[in-house]
Amino acid sequence: MTDTTRNVLLYALIGLTGLLAPSLAPAFRIQMALLWMMILFALTWDLGGGQMGYNSFGNVLFFGIGCYAPAVVQRELFFAVEGQPQATGDLATISPAFNYFNGFALGLTLAVIIAVAVAAGLGSGILGLRGQYFAICTLGVGVAAGEIASGWDYIGAGSGMVAPIFPGHPSQAALFFYYLFFVLAVICFFTLKRLYASRFGLAINAIRDDEDKAEAMGVHTTRYKAIAWCVSAFFLALAGGAFGHLNNFIDREVAFPGITFGVWMVLMAILGGKGTLWGPVIGATIFHVTQELFWTYLLGWQRVALGVLIVVIVVFFPLGIMGWLREQWPEKFGETVDLEARAAPVSLGEGR
Amino acid sequence: MLFFLLMVDNLSLLFNAPILSAQLLVDGILIGAIFALVAYGMALVWGVMDIINIAQGEFVMLGGYVTFFLAAAGVHPLYTVPAAAAALYILGWALYRTVVFRVVDKDMFISILATFGISIVLQQLANELFEADVRTAESGLGSLFFADGLIVVSQIKVVAFICALVLGATLFLFLKHSRLGRAIRATAQNARAARIMGVNTDRVFATTFALNAAICGAAGSLVVMTWLVHPYLGLAYTLRAFMIVTVAGLGNMASVILASLGLGAAENFAGFVLGTEYQAAFVFSLLVAILVWRNALLSRQRKYLK
Amino acid sequence: MTPILEVQGVTKAFGGVIANDNISLTVPKGSIVGLMGPNGSGKTTLFNSIVGYHPVDRGSITFEGREISRLRVPEIARLGLLRTFQQTRIYGMMSCLENMQISVPDTRDGLRTMFSKVPPAVTQQAEGLLEFVGLYAKRHLRAGELSFGQRKLLELAMALMHEPKLLLLDEPTAGINPVLINSLIDRLKRINADLGVTLFVIEHNIRVIMKLAEHVYCLTHGQLLADGPPDEIQTDQRVIDAYLGA
């Protein structure tokens, strides 16, 4: 079996499982939807942290923008919210379902535009920071965003705001959001796979390994860093939008969950193996499944356990699963020496 | 829009009543001394062990709880400062012996994440054990009045300010003159050379980390007397300390104090002008702004923050 | 011969220490020029000034007639002026081949080239150059696994991948197995003759520089002490004194 056929089979298997899962286990649709969201989280974090070496604690910023933007659009255009005047105009009189999906689509578009613009604007400043300064600066960014959201009346300040209820039976809602997250995660995966196979992938890896060297070799480091950050923002904003509508209620805790999602994305990517394509997927799956299975027994002590888990993984297993496998069997990852081989000599003396 | 009108309003109020500015300034400077303690501890650990301790603020928070519980048991809060320091010294030592020593020579991000994990554990433990309520310890001291009662300074803030300065000075002298202090400074300059010269760097690291925890514990004890404590207090202190160290540099006591007092004052003014609900947002945004600004300055010389 | 690089009156101080004092020199197009001097004489500082690593205090640096002293590192690199590092720098977690592939010049980096896969022609060129420095067999290994000498060779090959017009080499033979030095000198000469790359080389090893360079500049204490053909420099009493610390 060649590598290509094996890959196709693997993708087909995962894809089919993903497609059929909600029918096979309808009771777990929401949990499975969140699994795809976790995979997306880990993948987008790894784009910056694993592949480019810019370890961010502030990616929840884009998630939060994604949460709020569609809800605001829905409120402004279509749906009355208690204490807020009902939107007027022709659009509001059409059926709720029509309104819901149009508002949602419009909101997601807006979320993406804002998140990417913020990523580009903010990135031009903070992507110039290196190493620990970048990490701690993004930590500040994430918390500051939450603090601003909890003071800003337009988006409900401390009391939060509601997204409209899904027009249909709750099980349909679950199905809709399941497939939404599934499609998002799949698109995200293949986008990143394609990006990593291109010059972009090489460039961000070079930035991770030695940014000064990359600059000395004339690589447009600033440009690549900004693009990577914007790609993360793009997918996180979409995920945020979907999560906000799935959750119906949005406040600072939901939109800027630094201590949960914000930390989880880092942890999942490291657990699976940062800097690899499959590591984040594996890490997110293991983390989410164990969390769903066991964490309910911890009764409020989950977050303590999360902290312990971070310490244990970081201290004892920093390479992650994929990194460990690669360390054990480097030849399976293509790290081979063939002493016999000779390349065609390069055309020296063409007088370039 | 309304927000900006309000801001302008507050600003003009400050201009029309300079005495109000004086009050904000005094309050800010008094809390600044406590920031300086936390920042000096962070600079110590950073300089000696090359670790940025994210759990810094959690040490402050726990120090606060030690004082709170002892005060609740009837001890006068001022007498509990040494107890808080001692308790945190032990905790710091234990954390070093279990976790931190494993990440000392690792990549900076590993140690940031590890101490971040520790900070989450401490914060959530406090949340589970002490509950999320806001607590304070009453000192029973009154207030001082200046300028016909227009400036009110509670005595405990002054006491805390003096305590902070005394603690800082003691630490400074300890590092300068004691044998262990010299070993710590030698390790900060060059850990390998110190090891070759017979310094037990592992012990130095343990002491440094524990000492830092103790300083933070004492600071936390002062915080709970003058303001309040709750489980989620930590991160703000960590990031303030980081900001101060970034501005002041490692190992420069005078500029650490100056930056801390400045931050304390700036924060108080911002809280007044923007409204207290944005005070925390201001602190975190200021961190981002300062880092970007420092880096932009350096980038003119084609360098970056290292 | 037309100069490819002209340094005029460059001064660079760090605090009170003057690392380069009013240095002027010329590198003719197509030549191999050497830069020698005892430790701490300011050779690497001069290299850093030329490639834009830090701003100079005074003086001008022109590359192909264009003033570059105000440009930054990546901009200068994209003009075709490249340097290798004394403490060799490669991308440790990437394979040798990937190290080569990313070293293709970034000059025309529009969105399309940024997101396109590495063209087969580039890979072929990379493999050829790896063969040229004797690392082809190890092309799939992580660069971080190579020995110090091999890393140096890889770094050299990466620089060639960029097709520079002028290449600044900071001690190319330091840390290389003495047995291999002659073949390295031979390769450097081929790079110069066949690929038309002008070389400006910092070198401690006097024998190497005598064999390699056509013209040598000698620095001491941040000042230009002497320059001339290698055999002249070799016998110059001032240079000998500087090296012996007299």
Side-chain angles (χ1 to χ4, degrees):
Chain A
M1 205 160 51
T2 65
D3 278 3
T4 339
T5 46
R6 205 183 55 195
N7 279 347
V8 169
L9 277 176
L10 183 64
Y11 290 136
L13 187 69
I14 294 176
L16 212 62
T17 319
L19 280 175
L20 296 179
S23 324
L24 295 176
F28 297 106
R29 279 173 188 169
I30 301 286
Q31 284 91 328
M32 291 189 299
L34 294 182
L35 169 63
W36 292 110
M37 185 173 83
M38 291 300 152
I39 290 176
L40 186 143
F41 279 169
L43 281 169
T44 50
W45 186 83
D46 193 58
L47 169 61
Q51 301 279 352
M52 196 165 69
Y54 275 72
N55 300 296
S56 163
F57 288 111
N59 281 3
V60 281
L61 168 67
F62 307 124
F63 179 79
I65 292 173
C67 273
Y68 274 111
V72 169
V73 167
Q74 296 276 33
R75 183 190 69 191
E76 295 296 318
L77 288 183
F78 304 111
F79 293 93
V81 173
E82 232 173 300
Q84 306 266 356
Q86 163 88 56
T88 50
D90 295 339
L91 281 171
T93 59
I94 310 174
S95 80
F98 181 84
N99 286 344
Y100 182 88
F101 290 110
N102 275 299
F104 191 32
L106 196 66
L108 285 181
T109 316
L110 189 72
V112 164
I113 292 171
I114 297 175
V116 172
V118 168
L122 208 61
S124 64
I126 66 177
L127 284 169
L129 296 163
R130 304 254 178 115
Q132 62 270 29
Y133 289 95
F134 177 81
I136 292 180
C137 188
T138 51
L139 185 60
V141 167
V143 191
E147 290 290 341
I148 292 171
S150 68
W152 191 4
D153 287 326
Y154 180 66
I155 56 171
S159 48
M161 62 186 296
V162 287
I165 307 288
F166 184 85
H169 192 268
S171 71
Q172 285 176 305
L175 201 62
F176 172 74
F177 284 108
Y178 173 84
Y179 281 117
L180 186 58
F181 278 117
F182 172 62
V183 170
L184 279 179
V186 169
I187 293 176
C188 180
F189 178 86
F190 283 104
T191 308
L192 296 189
K193 185 176 187 310
R194 177 66 184 71
L195 282 177
Y196 295 159
S198 71
R199 182 174 169 82
F200 173 85
L202 291 174
I204 60 173
N205 284 167
I207 289 169
R208 172 194 64 197
D209 284 1
D210 190 340
E211 189 168 346
D212 287 334
K213 173 71 177 172
E215 283 188 352
M217 295 297 287
V219 178
H220 282 108
T221 48
T222 322
R223 213 180 281 177
Y224 284 110
K225 286 193 285 187
I227 291 174
W229 186 244
C230 288
V231 171
S232 276
F234 177 89
F235 284 109
L236 280 172
L238 289 174
F243 184 75
H245 267 54
L246 170 65
N247 200 50
N248 291 129
F249 173 73
I250 299 152
D251 69 354
R252 170 225 181 131
E253 299 286 313
V254 175
F256 300 101
I259 187 120
T260 51
F261 295 167
V263 181
W264 294 358
M265 28 180 118
V266 187
L267 193 61
M268 292 184 297
I270 292 180
L271 174 64
K274 61 183 206 163
T276 60
L277 181 63
W278 280 100
V281 179
I282 296 169
T285 310
I286 293 177
F287 180 80
H288 188 67
V289 170
T290 37
Q291 189 203 9
E292 289 294 329
L293 287 179
F294 299 115
W295 282 39
T296 40
Y297 299 109
L298 289 172
L299 295 166
W301 289 80
Q302 296 101 327
R303 290 180 173 188
V304 180
L306 173 76
V308 174
L309 197 63
I310 293 177
V311 173
V312 168
I313 288 177
V314 165
V315 172
F316 295 104
F317 201 51
L319 287 176
I321 294 164
M322 293 301 280
W324 181 79
L325 288 175
R326 187 169 179 153
E327 203 83 333
Q328 296 297 307
W329 297 281
E331 65 283 352
K332 296 260 183 220
F333 289 81
E335 288 182 41
T336 51
V337 186
D338 40 352
L339 286 169
E340 306 305 313
R342 287 280 178 274
V346 72
S347 46
L348 298 171
E350 295 286 280
R352 282 174 298 180
Chain B
M1 200 54 223
L2 204 71
F3 176 70
F4 287 105
L5 285 179
L6 208 68
M7 229 174 79
V8 172
D9 230 35
N10 288 338
L11 264 177
S12 65
L13 195 61
L14 275 186
F15 272 112
N16 294 332
I19 202 79
L20 203 57
S21 300
Q23 171 83 59
L24 289 171
L25 191 67
V26 169
D27 272 346
I29 285 176
L30 290 180
I31 195 177
I34 294 180
F35 295 167
L37 271 187
V38 184
Y40 194 65
M42 175 179 265
L44 189 66
V45 167
W46 192 346
V48 175
M49 307 168 71
D50 206 19
I51 283 180
I52 298 173
N53 178 30
I54 305 290
Q56 196 79 347
E58 273 65 30
F59 292 161
V60 175
M61 178 265 293
L62 289 178
Y65 274 106
V66 171
T67 292
F68 168 75
F69 283 115
L70 286 177
V75 187
H76 189 278
L78 271 177
Y79 299 141
T80 65
V81 177
L88 267 290
Y89 188 93
I90 294 167
L91 179 71
W93 185 281
L95 281 174
Y96 178 81
R97 286 290 171 216
T98 47
V99 179
V100 179
F101 82 95
R102 297 174 205 274
V103 296
V104 167
D105 45 1
K106 298 266 175 63
D107 176 53
M108 188 70 123
F109 183 62
I110 297 274
S111 59
I112 287 182
L113 253 187
T115 52
F116 194 44
I118 294 175
S119 88
I120 292 178
V121 173
L122 297 179
Q123 176 196 82
Q124 296 300 331
L125 273 178
N127 190 34
E128 289 300 319
L129 299 175
F130 312 144
E131 285 156 12
D133 304 339
V134 171
R135 320 271 195 168
T136 182
E138 276 304 325
S139 63
L141 295 176
S143 291
L144 302 170
F145 298 92
F146 299 98
D148 298 334
L150 284 170
I151 300 181
V152 187
V153 179
S154 61
Q155 285 175 21
I156 186 65
K157 285 188 186 173
V158 179
V159 173
F161 180 79
I162 294 166
C163 276
L165 291 187
V166 169
L167 273 169
T170 315
L171 180 68
F172 186 73
L173 290 174
F174 166 76
L175 288 176
K176 263 254 140 53
H177 297 297
S178 76
R179 195 179 155 74
L180 189 57
R182 277 206 302 275
I184 289 178
R185 284 188 299 135
T187 311
Q189 293 207 350
N190 189 336
R192 258 185 52 179
R195 209 170 299 141
I196 292 166
M197 300 307 286
V199 175
N200 182 349
T201 48
D202 188 52
R203 229 190 103 221
V204 166
F205 287 156
T207 313
T208 309
F209 200 77
L211 210 54
N212 167 47
I215 301 165
C216 292
S221 176
L222 299 176
V223 167
V224 73
M225 277 184 261
T226 45
W227 287 273
L228 44 83
V229 70
H230 58 83
Y232 295 98
L233 185 83
L235 189 62
Y237 277 87
T238 301
L239 292 186
R240 279 181 190 124
F242 183 79
M243 194 178 344
I244 291 163
V245 176
T246 313
V247 171
L250 295 175
N252 187 340
M253 188 78 177
S255 41
V256 164
I257 293 178
L258 219 61
S260 307
L261 301 186
L263 175 65
E267 229 177 78
N268 257 353
F269 278 102
F272 182 80
V273 175
L274 303 173
T276 39
E277 71 269 31
Y278 283 114
Q279 189 167 342
F282 169 78
V283 175
F284 299 118
S285 310
L286 187 67
L287 166 77
V288 177
I290 282 183
L291 285 175
V292 170
W293 168 69
R294 291 268 303 167
N295 208 48
L297 281 187
L298 280 173
S299 107
R300 282 205 206 145
Q301 280 146 43
R302 308 180 196 174
K303 291 185 200 144
Y304 48 84
L305 276 171
K306 261 200 269 223
Chain C
M1 279 192 288
T2 49
I4 190 166
L5 178 76
E6 273 193 289
V7 175
Q8 273 166 358
V10 163
T11 299
K12 175 73 194 172
F14 296 105
V17 183
I18 298 174
N20 283 162
D21 185 10
N22 197 21
I23 304 241
S24 299
L25 52 80
T26 307
V27 178
K29 197 173 169 63
S31 64
I32 303 181
V33 173
L35 180 63
M36 54 186 277
N39 280 331
S41 58
K43 305 183 297 289
T44 299
T45 302
L46 183 63
F47 262 32
N48 284 339
S49 299
I50 293 172
V51 299
Y53 190 69
H54 44 54
V56 295
D57 298 337
R58 262 199 310 283
S60 102
I61 302 166
T62 51
F63 176 64
E64 296 189 306
R66 180 177 172 178
E67 179 67 39
I68 57 167
S69 59
R70 292 191 167 277
L71 298 184
R72 287 175 179 246
V73 173
E75 295 164 332
I76 293 174
R78 289 195 282 271
L79 293 177
L81 196 172
L82 228 56
R83 65 93 58 91
T84 63
F85 291 87
Q86 194 175 1
Q87 297 302 321
T88 308
R89 300 181 92 150
I90 38 101
Y91 309 121
M93 296 292 280
M94 298 164 74
S95 77
C96 296
L97 190 62
E98 286 170 335
N99 268 272
M100 298 293 286
Q101 287 167 333
I102 187 57
S103 300
V104 167
D106 222 1
T107 38
R108 302 167 294 274
D109 244 12
L111 281 181
R112 189 140 26 99
T113 40
M114 277 177 131
F115 298 119
S116 60
K117 294 188 182 174
V118 178
V122 168
T123 307
Q124 245 172 24
Q125 193 192 3
E127 288 175 346
L129 280 169
L130 282 173
E131 177 73 42
F132 176 67
V133 296
L135 286 174
Y136 180 70
K138 305 200 167 180
R139 66 193 180 283
H140 292 306
L141 285 193
R142 285 192 197 182
E145 315 232 312
L146 299 179
S147 71
F148 183 76
Q150 288 170 334
R151 288 185 203 195
K152 269 207 126 117
L153 291 168
L154 177 64
E155 196 187 25
L156 179 64
M158 284 160 72
L160 294 180
M161 197 68 193
H162 198 279
E163 302 185 5
K165 295 169 187 156
L166 171 61
L167 184 54
L168 272 53
L169 299 168
D170 200 343
E171 303 202 12
T173 65
I176 297 241
N177 184 345
V179 181
L180 299 176
I181 284 187
N182 277 339
S183 87
L184 180 64
I185 293 177
D186 182 51
R187 285 205 181 98
L188 289 176
K189 284 191 157 171
R190 278 181 64 197
I191 289 166
N192 177 250
D194 298 350
L195 300 181
V197 180
T198 309
L199 297 180
F200 187 25
V201 188
I202 291 182
E203 190 50 73
H204 252 330
N205 189 329
I206 298 214
R207 254 173 316 195
V208 172
I209 211 144
M210 294 308 142
K211 277 192 204 162
L212 194 60
E214 300 153 17
H215 194 94
V216 178
Y217 287 90
C218 182
L219 289 183
T220 47
H221 303 299
Q223 287 174 327
L224 202 55
L225 182 69
D227 76 289
D231 38 351
E232 243 174 61
I233 289 290
Q234 200 172 9
T235 52
D236 190 312
Q237 193 55 44
R238 290 172 301 170
V239 175
I240 296 169
D241 289 346
Y243 263 85
L244 297 178

